[in-house]
């Protein structure tokens, strides 16, 4: 790593006029330090380059130069050697919105925008109070659901069986959080309780659900849950699935929150008790606001997982964005371009999850710097 | 002078009474709920004419399973079918854990590499793979594998191996009795290495003499199986797959479903393991390594006695939970037709209508796997905690 | 000085015993404190002084004996605990302000939630007490932005906002840098002058000499000596008290 090159001295000149050592040229210096600092490092660089040269040109050719971007004719795509991105343009409506009536798609776009703004608001510390977040989420759920249902103000009524695509993914996701998060807090508090029966029930519940795959819980929601109800009573399948996912989410989140609760000093409880506050006041006003901040990065990581987990409904046939895409791609004319459609859906998931994971890292930095938020 | 006239004596405000009352109410509600659900289920099942109980496990299933570790045909029982599914789950989980560990450790180390190109490639891999749902990973690779060429135009990565839309085949040694003994010898070799290391450590502690054990250990490990193999006359016949008609016969065969599932869950979990490994390595304060260097420890020692023990303590627990989640995610085989436990359980459920029992079997099996792994984890933690002192 | 003729007992500890597991933290503690009395408790660490005052608002449970605060016996009964806690304010060694709330919110929280006071009234009272502890300008800051002395004064104001009739101080100056101790003690002296019933666990003997009506010396979970300050500091009866005073007064 040490500079070994000796500065060349221009003949006859003073030392001051000597040109800088070659490493001072920023690019070369960067290359030296980051790519070829040791023989081993140079070899690594070489292997990486060979790998890139082997794969990258072929991939770029497929994805860009030989690809078809716009066409409504599947034969054009078949004739081309590369990717058929045109499939996204051709099929994006049913991919993103399922079998929801075509003319009513604007309603879905508004619904998705409302969801995204609710999520963005929730991420900003200045809006963190029960008085803002609770009404905001109630508004979000009620407004978007009524918008999608319709049946008022001249809006056509659309049955839930026709809901699909990205809005359904959003409903699954936000429903999971809205039901799952309070449940997670209750489970975490229950597990910390000094009443042995309460504690035991919470421990068994959390640990047994964490031990099984999400699929089996969805199977229970779809196949077994109807058997639990008396004859004649039925719940919407979507609701059952959301509740199943929420319970699954809550069990993981409860463990994260428990970690946060354990990090709060005993003095906080004592001071609040000495002021005469009761259990729920102490928890809601004093302990939880601090505990949730401490474990926020972990919470966000499980929220990302919850978003990705919405895709599990492919197995039980609810039309989220992935199921809708899979169904659309049954079209024999476009079928062989399923890969491109999946890559597009993957990009949607990626953008959302990547943004959230960056947010989680930001929060982690706030915490480590002791920033107030 | 003692007055307590303002004292409330009622038992309803007594903390102890309340605690008992709350718990009794909770317990009562749960019992009531359980009883209510149980009676509803019974009533519903009776009305729909669905059998209950475990008799279906011993009746003939009547369906075929694409691949199985043990012998199985359509005449076998549901019980055996579920066993086949369980073994298939174990197979893909074990393969996935091994591959994801290699991939994850490699990518995690690559991410902290001082080589910009390598660390960039690794972080792209991590960001892309962990931010896309595992479901999409699996069906993506399921789609990719069907886009691969047919057996006749199969891709040949090396002589005798073929990658195609019917899966992957590669040469495999023909079974021989000698291999059992080679296996035993390998076990002896492993024990030998442990003994050697202990001996070297004790000797170093006693005399201060440092004995490098890497090459000696390798010798102790390899020599016994090699000698046994040679003693049996070095039996080695490769079963090379060959194209017969439309399909390959012989060799080691992996179905396209297995490959797609395996690649999907490996790439997904590998990204998480890479992150764990990266943070594990970064958690070892640089001062630790500098201090060790200042003490004049050789790099091998630093790695073994300073870096690894500290990094592993951070790495192992979350990695175990990644292994668990990989095992649970292997249930996504149902999406692409890999006959794992959930897939076969699902078929059983659809054919017999006994959803409660079928789902109970799946949950119990996964729960047992989880419990076994967490017990192992607790044992490891206890051992690690002792070493810390 | 409290007038014995009009003495009205507000706190009575009768044969109080407390164990942590097998360790006896308090043995047969007996003391009666009258309204307006200022009691300073001292003793070596581990002598049970903190445990004793923490029992008075039931942050700790006693196993034997009686605690009677303002005619209410402290038992397992939640109503009694609530009633006692709203009478008794407490100040901790480590302040225990709520770090996620501004000073003003720290002060108004309990009056609003426990006393069901309207927000405007609660804030008015809060500002009043902040002025009394001389930091009204810090009302809209977070605890983390204040110095230790300021934080402890906020903690005192927070307790006063519940308008307690008794104040407990558990080593209020032990966690403070020396230059901040005085500002906290000044506030406490002023409080004492207003006739508040106070029990203070402290090692600040200067403070004890100025404000205390009664000195209590504890050791090994027992009350060794109860005396007025002039007797206590000049001719203590017990040898253990003598020894303790020698240790802390000689430097």
């Amino acid at each position: 790593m040490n500079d070994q090159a000796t500065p060349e001295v221009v003949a006859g000149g003073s030392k001051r006029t000597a040109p800088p050592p070659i490493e001072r040229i920023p690019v070369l210096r960067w290359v030296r330090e980051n790519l070829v600092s040791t023989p081993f490092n140079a070899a690594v660089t070489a292997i990486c380059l060979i790998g890139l040269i082997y794969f990258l040109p072929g991939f770029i050719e497929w994805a860009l130069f030989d690809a078809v971007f716009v066409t409504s004719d599947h034969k054009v795509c078949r004739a081309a050697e590369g990717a058929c991105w045109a499939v996204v343009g051709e099929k994006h409506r049913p991919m993103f919105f399922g079998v929801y009536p075509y003319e009513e798609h604007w309603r879905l776009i508004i619904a998705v925008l409302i969801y995204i703004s609710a999520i963005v608001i929730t991420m900003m510390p200045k809006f963190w109070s029960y008085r803002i977040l609770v009404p905001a989420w109630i508004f979000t759920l009620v407004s978007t659901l009524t918008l999608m249902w319709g049946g008022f103000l001249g809006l056509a009524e659309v049955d839930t069986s026709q809901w699909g695509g990205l809005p359904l993914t959003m409903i699954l996701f936000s429903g999971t959080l809205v039901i799952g998060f309070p449940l997670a807090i209750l489970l975490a508090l229950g597990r910390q309780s000094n009443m042995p029966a309460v504690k035991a029930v919470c421990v068994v519940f959390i640990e047994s659900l964490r031990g099984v795959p999400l699929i089996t819980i969805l199977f229970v929601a779809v196949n077994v849950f109807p058997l639990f109800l008396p004859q004649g009573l039925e719940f919407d399948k979507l609701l059952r699935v959301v509740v199943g996912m929420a319970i699954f989410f809550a069990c993981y989140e409860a463990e994260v929150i428990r970690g946060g609760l354990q990090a709060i000093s005993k003095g906080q409880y004592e001071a609040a008790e000495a002021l005469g506050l009761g259990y729920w006041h102490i928890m809601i006003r004093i302990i939880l606001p601090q505990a949730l901040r401490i474990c926020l990065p972990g919470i966000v990581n499980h929220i990302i997982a919850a978003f990705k987990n919405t895709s599990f409904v492919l197995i039980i046939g609810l039309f989220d964005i992935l199921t809708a895409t899979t169904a659309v791609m049954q079209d024999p004319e476009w079928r062989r371009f399923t890969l491109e459609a999946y890559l597009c859906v993957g990009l949607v998931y990626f953008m959302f999850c990547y943004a959230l994971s960056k947010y989680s890292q930001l929060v982690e930095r706030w915490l480590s710097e002791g920033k107030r938020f | 002078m003692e007055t307590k006239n303002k004292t409330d004596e009622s038992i309803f405000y007594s903390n102890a009474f309340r605690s008992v009352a709350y718990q009794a109410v909770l317990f009562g509600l749960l019992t009531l709920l359980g009883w209510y659900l149980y009676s509803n289920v019974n009533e519903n099942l009776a009305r729909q004419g669905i059998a209950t109980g475990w008799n279906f496990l011993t009746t003939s299933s009547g369906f075929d399973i694409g691949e199985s570790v043990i012998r199985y045909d359509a005449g076998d029982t549901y019980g055996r079918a579920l066993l086949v599914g369980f073994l298939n789950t174990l197979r893909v989980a074990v393969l996935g854990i091994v591959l994801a560990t290699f991939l994850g450790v490699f990518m995690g180390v690559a991410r902290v590499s001082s080589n910009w190109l390598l660390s960039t490639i690794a972080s792209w891999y991590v960001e892309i793979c962990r931010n896309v749902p595992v479901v999409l990973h699996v069906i993506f690779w399921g789609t990719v594998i069907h886009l691969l060429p047919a057996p006749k135009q199969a891709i040949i990565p090396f002589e005798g191996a073929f990658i195609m839309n019917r899966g992957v085949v590669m040469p495999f040694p023909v079974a021989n009795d000698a291999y059992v003994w080679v296996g035993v010898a390998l076990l002896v070799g492993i024990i030998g290495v442990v003994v050697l290391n202990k001996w070297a450590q004790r000797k170093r502690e006693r005399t201060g003499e440092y004995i490098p054990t890497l090459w000696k250990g390798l010798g102790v490990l390899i020599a016994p199986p090699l000698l046994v193999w040679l003693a049996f006359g070095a039996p080695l016949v490769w079963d090379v797959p060959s194209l017969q008609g439309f399909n390959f016969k012989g060799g080691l065969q992996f179905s396209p479903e297995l490959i797609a599932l395996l690649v999907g869950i490996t790439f997904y979990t590998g990204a998480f393991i890479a992150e764990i490994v990266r943070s594990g390595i970064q958690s070892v304060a640089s001062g630790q390594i500098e201090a060790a260097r200042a003490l004049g420890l050789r790099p091998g020692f630093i790695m073994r006695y300073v870096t690894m023990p500290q990094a592993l303590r951070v790495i192992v627990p979350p990695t175990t939970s990644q292994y668990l989640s990989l095992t649970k995610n292997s249930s996504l085989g149902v999406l692409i037709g890999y006959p794992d436990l959930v897939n076969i359980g699902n078929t059983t459920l659809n054919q017999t209508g006994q959803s409660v029992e079928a789902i109970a079997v799946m949950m119990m099996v996964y729960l047992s796997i989880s419990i076994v792994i967490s017990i192992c984890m607790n044992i490891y933690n206890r051992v690690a905690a002792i070493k810390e002192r | 000085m409290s007038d014995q003729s009009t003495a009205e007992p507000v706190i009575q500890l009768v044969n109080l015993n407390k164990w942590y597991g097998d360790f006896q933290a308090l043995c047969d503690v007996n003391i009666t404190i009258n309204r307006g009395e200022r009691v300073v408790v001292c003793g070596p660490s581990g002598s049970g002084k903190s445990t004793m005052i923490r029992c008075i608002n039931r942050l700790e449970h006693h196993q034997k004996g009686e605690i009677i605060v303002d005619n209410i016996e402290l038992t397992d009964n939640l109503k009694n605990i609530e009633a006692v806690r709203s009478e008794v304010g407490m100040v901790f060694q480590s302040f225990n302000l709520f770090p996620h709330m501004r000073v003003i919110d720290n002060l108004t929280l309990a009056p609003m939630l426990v006393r069901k006071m309207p927000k405007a009234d609660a804030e008015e009272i809060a500002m009043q007490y902040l002025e009394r502890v001389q930091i009204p300008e810090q009302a809209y800051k977070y605890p983390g932005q204040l110095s230790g002395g300021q934080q402890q004064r906020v903690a005192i104001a927070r307790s006063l906002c519940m308008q307690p009739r008794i104040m407990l101080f558990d080593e209020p100056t032990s966690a403070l840098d020396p230059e901040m101790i005085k500002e906290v003690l000044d506030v406490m002296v002023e409080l004492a002058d207003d006739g508040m019933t106070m029990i203070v666990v402290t090692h600040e003997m200067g403070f004890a000499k100025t404000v205390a009506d009664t000195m209590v010396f504890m050791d090994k979970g027992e009350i060794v000596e109860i005396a007025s300050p002039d007797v206590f500091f000049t001719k203590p009866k017990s040898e253990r008290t003598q020894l303790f005073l020698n240790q802390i007064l000689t430097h």
Side-chain angles (χ1 to χ4, degrees), chain A residues 143-203:
Chain A
S143 65
T144 52
L145 291 178
T146 48
L147 197 60
M148 290 177 69
W149 241 309
F152 65 96
L153 289 179
L155 289 179
E157 196 175 320
V158 184
D159 191 73
T160 53
S161 61
Q162 285 179 289
W163 295 9
L166 193 56
L168 194 85
T169 298
M170 284 296 182
I171 290 176
L172 287 167
F173 174 58
S174 47
T176 304
L177 297 195
V178 167
I179 302 173
F181 204 74
L183 184 62
I185 291 174
L186 286 180
L187 284 172
L189 293 179
R191 198 171 178 167
Q192 294 287 85
S193 162
N194 47 20
M195 298 186 219
V198 174
K199 186 172 178 162
V201 167
C202 290
V203 169

Side-chain angles (χ1 to χ4, degrees), chain B residues 1-11 13-18, chain C residues 9 12 14 32 66 68 70-73 75-80 165:
Chain B
M1 105 182 182
E2 256 182 58
T3 56
K4 328 178 212 177
N5 51 12
K6 285 203 256 165
T7 308
D8 185 285
E9 303 281 359
S10 93
I11 189 173
Y13 287 100
S14 147
N15 205 356
F17 171 79
R18 287 221 168 169
Chain C
Q12 289 170 289
V14 184
T32 300
E66 284 179 356
I68 299 159
D70 211 13
N71 297 333
I72 302 168
E73 187 186 353
T75 56
D76 192 34
N77 187 304
L78 294 168
K79 220 174 185 177
N80 295 339
R165 305 214 267 174

Side-chain angles (χ1 to χ4, degrees), chain A residues 268 286 290 372, chain C residues 96-102 106 142-144:
Chain A
Q268 292 289 310
I286 311 293
Q290 297 182 56
R372 176 169 300 104
Chain C
N96 292 338
L97 292 176
F98 306 133
H100 60 297
M101 293 175 170
R102 294 173 306 171
N106 264 283
Y142 284 88

Side-chain angles (χ1 to χ4, degrees), chain A residues 6-10 14-22 24:
Chain A
T6 43
E8 285 173 40
V9 180
V10 179
S14 75
K15 273 201 164 179
R16 280 187 163 219
T17 60
I22 197 154
R24 296 266 167 78

Side-chain angles (χ1 to χ4, degrees), chain B residues 18-77:
Chain B
R18 287 221 168 169
S19 166
V20 170
Y22 289 146
Q23 295 183 69
V25 168
L26 176 77
F27 194 72
L29 282 179
L30 283 180
T31 317
L32 217 65
L33 183 73
W35 176 80
Y36 176 72
L37 297 182
Y38 179 75
S39 66
N40 275 340
V41 169
N42 271 343
E43 198 180 301
N44 284 323
L45 289 178
R47 192 160 34 78
Q48 294 171 16
I50 298 171
T52 52
W54 301 98
N55 287 333
F56 73 99
L57 287 177
T58 53
T59 58
S60 167
S61 69
F63 60 82
D64 255 321
I65 297 176
E67 57 188 300
S68 170
V69 185
I70 55 172
R71 188 196 51 74
Y72 173 87
D73 61 58
D76 280 321
T77 61

Side-chain angles (χ1 to χ4, degrees), chain B residues 31-302:
Chain B
T31 317
L32 217 65
L33 183 73
W35 176 80
Y36 176 72
L37 297 182
Y38 179 75
S39 66
N40 275 340
V41 169
N42 271 343
E43 198 180 301
N44 284 323
L45 289 178
R47 192 160 34 78
Q48 294 171 16
I50 298 171
T52 52
W54 301 98
N55 287 333
F56 73 99
L57 287 177
T58 53
T59 58
S60 167
S61 69
F63 60 82
D64 255 321
I65 297 176
E67 57 188 300
S68 170
V69 185
I70 55 172
R71 188 196 51 74
Y72 173 87
D73 61 58
D76 280 321
T77 61
Y78 281 114
R80 194 168 172 88
L82 289 167
L83 178 65
V84 169
F86 172 60
L87 293 175
N88 279 338
T89 292
L90 280 190
R91 175 167 65 160
V92 72
V94 170
L95 286 173
I97 285 172
V98 172
L99 293 178
T101 307
F102 278 112
L103 183 65
V105 170
F106 176 78
M107 287 297 182
V109 173
R111 276 202 82 178
V112 292
S113 154
S114 59
N115 186 301
W116 175 85
L117 195 57
L118 187 64
S119 68
T120 308
I121 293 173
S123 61
W124 274 70
Y125 158 75
V126 168
E127 292 299 354
I128 290 175
C129 282
R130 72 174 180 159
N131 284 319
V132 169
V134 61
V135 177
L136 189 55
H137 274 278
V138 171
I139 57 170
F140 176 83
W141 291 106
T143 312
V144 167
I145 208 153
H146 285 296
L147 292 174
L148 289 176
K152 281 194 174 154
Q153 290 90 38
I155 302 165
I156 306 172
F158 58 88
E159 192 54 40
F162 302 90
I163 301 174
M164 63 200 144
N165 60 6
R166 297 277 173 85
V168 173
V169 292
M170 58 178 74
F172 195 69
V174 177
N176 189 301
D177 290 344
Y179 292 157
V180 179
W181 296 107
V182 173
V184 173
L186 184 66
L187 217 64
V188 171
I190 292 171
I191 295 169
V193 170
V194 174
V195 171
L196 177 77
N197 269 326
K198 275 264 172 311
W199 170 80
Q201 195 178 345
R202 214 160 291 159
K203 173 126 189 187
R204 198 187 65 235
E205 280 162 9
R206 202 152 20 88
T207 64
E209 181 192 357
Y210 172 65
I211 304 157
T213 53
L214 182 66
W215 294 110
K216 285 194 191 103
L218 224 54
V220 171
L221 182 70
I222 291 171
L226 195 69
L227 287 176
V228 171
W229 182 62
L230 290 173
F232 272 91
L236 180 64
V237 180
W238 288 99
D239 180 8
V240 181
S242 60
L243 191 60
Q244 289 172 11
F246 293 111
N247 265 323
F248 279 91
K249 291 264 153 58
L252 186 60
Q253 304 219 358
F254 295 100
S255 69
E257 294 84 17
L258 176 65
I259 294 294
L261 181 59
L262 195 56
V263 173
I265 58 180
T266 299
F267 273 30
Y268 183 73
T269 311
F272 284 91
I273 295 180
E275 269 304 272
I276 294 166
V277 169
R278 177 190 65 82
S279 64
I281 294 172
Q282 287 178 343
S283 74
V284 181
S286 58
Q288 292 279 315
I289 294 163
E290 278 162 17
R293 233 181 253 150
L295 287 171
L297 291 181
R298 52 170 86 222
F301 272 154
I302 297 178

